[in-house]
Amino acid sequence: MKSKFINIVTFLLLALLYSCAEERIINDENNTAKEKIDMSFTVVPPTGTTAKEFFKEGDVISVFSSGNESCNEKFTITDISESSATFTGKAVKSDKIYAVFPYSEEYKMINSSIDIPFVNTYDLNSSESKDYASIGFADKNGNIQLEMPYGNISFTMPSNLYGQQFNKIRLSGVKNEALAGTMSISMEDDKISVKISEEKSKHTLVINGTFEAGQTYSFKVDCSNKRNIHQGTDTRLLY
């Protein structure tokens, strides 16, 4: 009896160790085996940029298969054209494929939803859109159109700084809106929607750098309706 108990415990431990790293995945619902197969996707960058501007050699994208969302598969770029890039890797075949660019092992998808952290401190030298996560889902032809699930914030420095030098700028919403924090991005029914976690939201944006008189600066912000946010209408400049 003791021997049988030990064997059962051993079996359970081995079952728990069976993970996404395996090429063969069991579907418990119908007890059939699913195989990870070679796949490639044509990925189109967000509107307003070209593939050659947005992607570079060595880029990696996170790919999730519906029904196997716990596996964050790594797909690597193999070709870049003017309008799109090709990413290849292995994943379970599914009628719904979701992608997040760039790849991060920290991304976890549950029920077609993924949480993406959004920092509230920036440096002027690292404010390019490439630094932000973009998301999308594959159509029946294997094309993925990436979208940036956030808004833009812009402000203009006064034309005369009267000899003062500003190395840090703080921005806050006029109505105390959340500008950073954690975005919960849902891709159910082939529609992308964004919700902001109020418990993890931040209402002030801090930007470090050397600011010049009369110059306009733009940044991405956590914004569920993806609208543009402008100084004076939606934000206060807190030098």
Side-chain angles (χ1 to χ4, degrees):
M1 186 68 177
K2 184 177 181 180
S3 175
K4 288 182 179 179
F5 176 77
I6 293 173
N7 287 337
I8 291 172
V9 171
T10 303
F11 174 78
L12 291 174
L13 288 173
L14 288 173
L16 287 172
L17 291 172
Y18 193 73
S19 67
C20 297
E22 297 295 332
E23 293 298 320
R24 188 170 182 270
I25 299 172
I26 300 298
N27 183 341
D28 291 332
E29 292 181 2
N30 52 21
N31 200 30
T32 59
K34 286 187 177 181
E35 302 286 341
K36 288 184 184 178
I37 61 174
D38 292 323
M39 293 184 182
S40 66
F41 296 100
T42 299
V43 183
V44 180
T47 303
T49 184
T50 67
K52 290 185 176 180
E53 292 172 335
F54 194 76
F55 300 113
K56 68 179 186 302
E57 185 178 346
D59 276 346
V60 182
I61 194 169
S62 290
V63 171
F64 298 87
S65 299
S66 176
N68 190 43
E69 294 178 350
S70 60
C71 293
N72 181 355
E73 309 295 1
K74 187 183 291 187
F75 276 57
T76 305
I77 199 167
T78 56
D79 184 62
I80 308 174
S81 69
E82 191 65 31
S83 60
S84 64
T86 301
F87 285 81
T88 61
K90 285 180 178 288
V92 172
K93 187 176 181 180
S94 171
D95 59 344
K96 290 185 178 179
I97 298 288
Y98 308 101
V100 184
F101 179 84
Y103 171 88
S104 172
E105 62 180 9
E106 296 181 0
Y107 291 152
K108 301 288 188 299
M109 181 170 277
I110 301 175
N111 297 327
S112 301
S113 181
I114 183 170
D115 286 347
I116 294 180
F118 215 86
V119 299
N120 73 319
T121 301
Y122 297 94
D123 189 284
L124 283 179
N125 296 323
S126 61
S127 61
E128 296 179 357
S129 61
K130 179 62 185 298
D131 296 334
Y132 305 92
S134 299
I135 60 176
F137 47 83
D139 63 18
K140 61 182 180 180
N141 297 316
N143 300 314
I144 298 175
Q145 171 67 63
L146 292 178
E147 293 188 29
M148 292 183 174
Y150 25 76
N152 295 308
I153 189 169
S154 63
F155 65 90
T156 302
M157 294 295 291
S159 58
N160 192 337
L161 298 180
Y162 301 99
Q164 297 185 68
Q165 183 172 335
F166 293 90
N167 297 316
K168 178 182 289 188
I169 294 292
R170 292 188 300 127
L171 292 164
S172 71
V174 170
K175 298 179 181 179
N176 201 34
E177 298 92 341
L179 299 179
T182 299
M183 293 188 298
S184 181
I185 301 172
S186 173
M187 288 183 272
E188 284 188 294
D189 301 322
D190 293 342
K191 294 180 181 179
I192 295 174
S193 60
V194 182
K195 292 182 180 180
I196 300 173
S197 170
E198 282 301 322
E199 291 133 11
K200 300 178 181 178
S201 64
K202 298 181 186 297
H203 300 266
T204 302
L205 195 68
V206 179
I207 307 167
N208 297 306
T210 301
F211 298 88
E212 298 180 13
Q215 291 295 312
T216 298
Y217 301 90
S218 297
F219 297 87
K220 305 296 182 203
V221 292
D222 194 345
C223 183
S224 59
N225 54 18
K226 297 196 297 182
R227 64 193 171 94
N228 290 326
I229 304 175
H230 299 284
Q231 175 188 354
T233 304
D234 304 288
T235 60
R236 290 190 298 264
L237 207 54
L238 310 172
Y239 297 105

